[in-house]
Amino acid sequence: MSSPSFGQRLQRLFLTGLLTLLPLWLTWVVVKFVFVLLGGLSKPLVEPGLQGIAAGNPRTFGWLVEPWVQDAIALVATVGAILLAGWLARRVVGQRLLRWLEALVARIPLASTIYGSARKLLDILQTKPDGTQRVVLIDFPHNEMKTLGFVTRVMREIGTGRELAAVYVPTTPNPTSGYLEIVPMEKITPTDWTVDQAMSFIISGGAVAPDDIPFAPPSAKVP
């Protein structure tokens, strides 16, 4: 058997290097996006103060006007605000403040709809509905293919009383976007996955998954 040529060895090295660095690059892209997003929330508040400090004593604090410094401080401020919100949410005073803010948002028509829907979705994903598993598989785009979804509510069909499930189907790799399906319960394939496991499966594009998963829905119960 002839040895590989220089071009073939170079191609293999390139593919090996690409496959080695690609996960790191994707991680950097996601982390950078999150950091820029979080930093951007506080930058309009932090930037004027830093510029004022630097203008008052440019020799000592002139470095505060550097963009990367402002971005870093804005990021730290946002993370600090998130941690503070989490700490307050566990205290009585924070819960009272949260209820006051929710009442204030409820007075704004569009904001109340968006906030209420997002709040309910996050609360629902932390609990299991009665009689069914939260993480399920449904037929998409046909019955020989499945997609992962989260049951958010169980309803009944008018007239027949048949149970129907509202299933939120997130997209990959961004689970914050998706669409909603109303699926008969007999068409749903339950899983024993947790929400965290399902999120890892979605974000990784299926790379992080158990070795065995269900596919066909359980047999219909005989009355």
Side-chain angles (χ1 to χ4, degrees), residues 19-104:
L19 294 176
T20 300
L21 295 177
L22 188 59
L24 297 174
W25 178 78
L26 290 174
T27 303
W28 163 248
V29 169
V30 174
V31 171
K32 181 181 179 182
F33 171 77
V34 173
F35 280 6
V36 170
L37 180 64
L38 292 177
L41 297 176
S42 297
K43 193 171 183 179
L45 301 175
V46 172
E47 188 174 5
L50 296 178
Q51 290 178 347
I53 295 174
N57 193 343
R59 284 181 173 271
T60 305
F61 300 108
W63 53 274
L64 291 177
V65 298
E66 294 292 334
W68 70 270
V69 175
Q70 294 182 358
D71 291 341
I73 294 177
L75 174 62
V76 171
T78 301
V79 172
I82 293 174
L83 293 175
L84 178 62
W87 182 81
L88 287 174
R90 295 177 176 270
R91 303 296 187 275
V92 175
V93 62
Q95 294 172 358
R96 291 178 178 175
L97 179 61
L98 181 59
R99 286 194 294 268
W100 178 81
L101 289 174
E102 289 178 343
L104 181 63

Side-chain angles (χ1 to χ4, degrees), residues 155-178:
M155 305 165 287
R156 290 190 179 275
E157 183 181 11
I158 296 176
T160 65
R162 181 174 59 161
E163 284 189 324
L164 305 172
V167 182
Y168 173 69
V169 179
T171 55
T172 299
N174 178 16
T176 60
S177 64

